[in-house]
Amino acid sequence: PFPSFSRPPLPPPPPFPYTHIMTVCGPMKQYQVVGRKAPTEAFPNPEAYRMIIFAPNKVIARSKFWYFMQQFRKMKKTTGEIIDVNEIVEKNKNQVKNYGIWLRYDSRSGTHNMYREYRDLSLCGAITQLYDEMAGRHRTRPRSIQIIRTAEIAASDCKRPDTLQFVSKDQKFPLPHRVDSAKRGQKALSDTTFSVGRPTTCFR
């Protein structure tokens, strides 16, 4: 008879929050990251740099900070230190605003500059729309997008047709199909629970 070999049991899978982690997942947040070169005896108080970064969490915000600082200055994670990381939260999120975003992204053919416009309650929501649209329209990876500038623009400064169709003051959203519900002070669609005829929802 052939000898029997027993395989060792497989290790258990990691917990659910760590099984499916993407580079950019969920809503984006705005962070202010302050860092500098590590102090030495020759330079005990080096210059600090502040950067506004959009990332889903603080870990990716720190990583992006060192990515850009390595390009702009002779600094990297091993020779520098992070002083502070703060999340910037907008005060007014109750009104829809127009946002203009200037960005640069790397495609399969080269590097391109682009200007986009979005309508959202907050700047972070507009940035989330940007990442979703760039992934769908241009197959752009999140790591290939670099946001250069963001601004809240007036309705008269909007350029894109998708934004212009919503900025007019006489904007109306008709409700052609309405169904009356049995709420207090309102008449229900039918006085009985079951009805023989199909209800008519056309607005009259």
Side-chain angles (χ1 to χ4, degrees), residues 50-85:
R50 181 177 66 94
M51 192 176 298
I52 303 298
I53 295 176
F54 295 94
N57 51 56
K58 291 185 177 181
V59 177
I60 299 180
R62 290 167 175 259
S63 177
K64 283 189 174 183
F65 175 81
W66 292 122
Y67 172 78
F68 291 119
M69 288 305 299
Q70 195 171 5
Q71 295 180 353
F72 299 149
R73 297 290 186 270
K74 291 184 177 180
M75 290 174 54
K76 55 184 180 179
K77 185 178 179 180
T78 56
T79 60
E81 62 180 1
I82 297 292
I83 299 177
D84 195 9
V85 180

Side-chain angles (χ1 to χ4, degrees), residues 19-34:
T19 54
H20 304 285
I21 295 181
M22 298 174 58
T23 303
V24 173
C25 60
M28 302 293 289
K29 300 177 183 179
Q30 187 177 8
Y31 292 98
Q32 174 184 276
V33 184
V34 181

Side-chain angles (χ1 to χ4, degrees), residues 141-156:
R141 304 296 188 268
R143 61 178 180 272
S144 302
I145 300 176
Q146 299 180 10
I147 299 174
I148 301 174
R149 176 189 168 199
T150 61
E152 181 180 343
I153 58 179
S156 58

Side-chain angles (χ1 to χ4, degrees), residues 126-147:
I127 297 296
T128 305
Q129 292 186 44
L130 168 70
Y131 275 88
D132 294 341
E133 187 176 11
M134 293 297 293
R137 289 181 180 268
H138 304 278
R139 301 293 188 269
T140 307
R141 304 296 188 268
R143 61 178 180 272
S144 302
I145 300 176
Q146 299 180 10
I147 299 174

Side-chain angles (χ1 to χ4, degrees), residues 6-11:
S6 60
R7 295 182 177 179
L10 297 176

